[in-house]
Amino acid sequence: MNVPQDIKFRFNPSSSKSKKVLGPLEGDIMEVIWEQGPTTVSSVHKTLRETKDIAYTTVMTTMSRLAKKNLLNQDKSSASYVYSAALGKSDFERYVVTGIIHALLNDYGDSFVDCFVEVLGEISPSSRERLRQAVMSD
């Protein structure tokens, strides 16, 4: 996985999927870009307008901020900027999960491990077996 340096995100466990680490509009924009591929502000705005009333300038500003956070690449070579995701959706999810796990281990160490083991009792047997096999293969 080729990860851009210093991707910035926050973590809100009560939100859903990409919105756990991005703002609601940021998450919506990233979902559109992951679905469409390289695209323009106009195209993203048009897609978002299908489900919400949102100003073009709001979408433009948010996409510019996502580029500053290194989540979007910004190609300025044509009249309209073309934006693309710095990471594919699955790579982004992996990056986020890895970052959260490292932060929890660094900040909470044994407490994190104790809670993780406790939570394992709540996951599906197939997931638990997959984890067991991964740990045993080391």
Side-chain angles (χ1 to χ4, degrees):
M1 169 173 55
N2 187 12
V3 179
Q5 294 295 321
D6 295 329
I7 290 179
K8 294 173 179 50
F9 65 88
R10 60 171 177 69
F11 182 66
N12 180 355
S14 64
S15 294
S16 64
K17 283 296 233 177
S18 64
K19 294 172 189 162
K20 283 188 188 309
V21 294
L22 302 171
L25 181 55
E26 291 176 331
D28 290 343
I29 288 171
M30 290 305 297
E31 293 293 336
V32 170
I33 292 173
W34 283 321
E35 184 178 306
Q36 291 183 357
T39 189
T40 62
V41 172
S42 180
S43 179
V44 172
H45 177 250
K46 181 180 177 184
T47 301
L48 293 175
R49 287 290 308 247
E50 293 171 6
T51 58
K52 63 176 71 186
D53 184 26
I54 188 165
Y56 177 89
T57 54
T58 301
V59 175
M60 180 178 64
T61 300
T62 304
M63 289 176 70
S64 178
R65 287 183 182 151
L66 286 166
K68 287 178 184 167
K69 291 179 178 183
N70 296 316
L71 287 163
L72 290 180
N73 298 316
Q74 191 179 50
D75 179 359
K76 302 176 183 181
S77 63
S78 61
S80 294
Y81 290 0
V82 175
Y83 290 86
S84 60
L87 293 173
K89 186 174 182 175
S90 63
D91 286 339
F92 173 75
E93 290 172 351
R94 187 173 180 81
Y95 176 84
V96 168
V97 171
T98 300
I100 291 168
I101 289 171
H102 281 292
L104 290 171
L105 278 170
N106 289 336
D107 291 347
Y108 299 103
D110 289 340
S111 292
F112 169 76
V113 172
D114 292 343
C115 290
F116 184 74
V117 169
E118 185 178 313
V119 169
L120 287 178
E122 301 170 14
I123 66 173
S124 71
S126 63
S127 293
R128 200 169 31 249
E129 177 60 21
R130 186 169 154 214
L131 181 61
R132 187 191 67 72
Q133 288 177 357
V135 169
M136 298 307 284
S137 70
D138 286 343

